[in-house]
Amino acid sequence: MIIEMPETSTNDVAKKMVEIRESGGAISLGRVLTLVVVAEHGEPTEAAVEAAIGASSEHPSRVIVLACGSRKGASLLNAQIRVGGDAGASEVVILSMSGPLADQPHSVVTPFLLPDCPIVVWWPGAAPEDPSADPMGRIGRRRILDASKSAHPESVLERRLATYSPGDSDLAWTQITHWRALLASAIDRPPHTPIQSVVVTGPAQSPGIELLAGWLYSALGVPTTRSIGSFEVRLLRDHGATVLSIDQNGNAVISVPGKPDGRVAMTNRDLPVYLAEELRRLDTDEVFEQALRGAVELSQQGQPA
């Protein structure tokens, strides 16, 4: 069910949600968190809403979408409430603000936060320069960013590190989870000779590739080179290189000297899957922080960004 409420107020929207709950059952029961989605003027919100609904099967939530529109004109609030089949296992409130109200999303969202539930703030587009200091970021236990949406990909990770606060995360990090798992598995396989150096190859200005290189650099503590080209990771040992690459069918290929190549079918992962993975943990991701520091160190050494 989708209920449109044009030119409304937060008080009227809150009353309508209570009315829906009383007429259709306690829809807020079982909600494990509040997910606040913040989108600036011109950023599409529907893909973010669909991702939140897709992730709801694993994380039933109250999803509050704050669509901050043009700052011109008088303050105006339009709302949309989605429940039932149109919201998955969540309940969705879309609050579209314009005029001076668009600069006060933290005030607008307050009446809709679930009591005693952790709050996660997600910027599906461009995030603020300092997310943890942002009024919206301050209310979140966890803040999900997306470095690939930055207008300045060449320096986005440096800015992320400069303003890093426990609870920050990034979908660029989530997107390389499978590659990190495969590399960890490859490192654990015999022969267990020391890794002398690492070469990470991938597209230029790719935050995910930079974080992958930074993770290996920080975890292994060996010279790491970031190269531009098709995706490949080479772990160089005295007896030869362990190589992770992709074949023409999109499968992951692990090559070890003296052994047949191993192939792993890679499943397609989309935005709802990435978001669901991020929502599984609300504590500090210390490994992400280490990877971020490693990526910035490599950049400062003159590696491609």
Side-chain angles (χ1 to χ4, degrees):
M1 178 172 61
I2 298 178
I3 300 171
E4 300 285 354
M5 300 183 65
E7 299 184 22
T8 187
S9 67
T10 56
N11 188 46
D12 287 343
V13 177
K15 287 181 178 178
K16 175 58 74 172
M17 295 186 70
V18 172
E19 179 185 322
I20 295 171
R21 181 171 64 247
E22 291 177 346
S23 63
I27 59 175
S28 65
L29 292 180
R31 302 293 181 244
V32 298
L33 57 86
T34 300
L35 174 63
V36 181
V37 183
V38 186
E40 274 298 327
H41 182 50
E43 295 177 349
T45 58
E46 191 58 34
V49 172
E50 293 300 322
I53 292 173
S56 71
S57 60
E58 186 174 337
H59 308 281
S61 313
R62 171 172 288 180
V63 180
I64 307 170
V65 180
L66 301 174
C68 304
S70 172
R71 271 62 173 178
K72 297 180 180 179
S75 291
L76 179 64
L77 174 65
N78 296 318
Q80 182 187 90
I81 302 173
R82 301 185 188 183
V83 294
D86 292 296
S90 292
E91 52 184 343
V92 180
V93 185
I94 302 175
L95 303 170
S96 301
M97 301 162 287
S98 58
L101 190 63
D103 288 323
Q104 303 294 324
H106 54 290
S107 299
V108 174
V109 75
T110 301
F112 304 100
L113 300 175
L114 291 174
D116 303 321
C117 278
I119 301 169
V120 178
V121 181
W122 172 31
W123 289 272
E129 287 294 317
D130 189 346
S132 64
D134 183 82
M136 291 306 306
R138 285 199 294 266
I139 71 173
R141 177 184 297 186
R142 195 166 178 85
R143 294 165 295 277
I144 304 175
L145 318 172
D146 191 347
S148 66
K149 299 296 177 62
S150 172
H152 304 283
E154 73 285 351
S155 60
V156 62
L157 295 185
E158 290 186 13
R159 296 197 307 277
R160 292 283 190 266
L161 179 60
T163 61
Y164 176 83
S165 181
D168 288 355
S169 189
D170 202 293
L171 292 182
W173 174 245
T174 318
Q175 290 167 5
I176 61 171
T177 296
H178 282 181
W179 299 117
R180 290 187 282 126
L182 287 171
L183 286 167
S185 174
I187 292 171
D188 284 341
R189 295 179 182 178
H192 299 292
T193 55
I195 296 173
Q196 304 296 332
S197 61
V198 174
V199 179
V200 179
T201 305
Q205 296 184 357
S206 170
I209 298 298
E210 315 304 336
L211 287 170
L212 183 63
W215 170 64
L216 289 168
Y217 178 62
S218 64
L220 299 176
V222 299
T224 301
T225 302
R226 167 74 167 94
S227 298
I228 306 302
S230 299
F231 176 76
E232 182 184 83
V233 179
R234 302 180 71 87
L235 309 174
L236 302 176
R237 293 179 163 112
D238 288 338
H239 73 283
T242 297
V243 181
L244 173 63
S245 60
I246 304 174
D247 66 14
Q248 65 272 20
N249 297 317
N251 299 316
V253 181
I254 301 177
S255 302
V256 179
K259 296 184 179 180
D261 289 349
R263 279 179 164 76
V264 179
M266 302 298 289
T267 57
N268 291 326
R269 285 158 47 89
D270 53 12
L271 187 55
V273 174
Y274 298 142
L275 182 60
E277 181 179 324
E278 278 293 328
L279 296 178
R280 283 179 202 142
R281 58 179 302 170
L282 299 178
D283 57 333
T284 300
D285 190 344
E286 297 176 351
V287 179
F288 167 67
E289 181 185 2
Q290 294 168 4
L292 187 60
R293 293 187 182 280
V296 172
E297 287 183 26
L298 288 177
S299 176
Q300 293 172 345
Q301 291 174 15
Q303 302 286 356

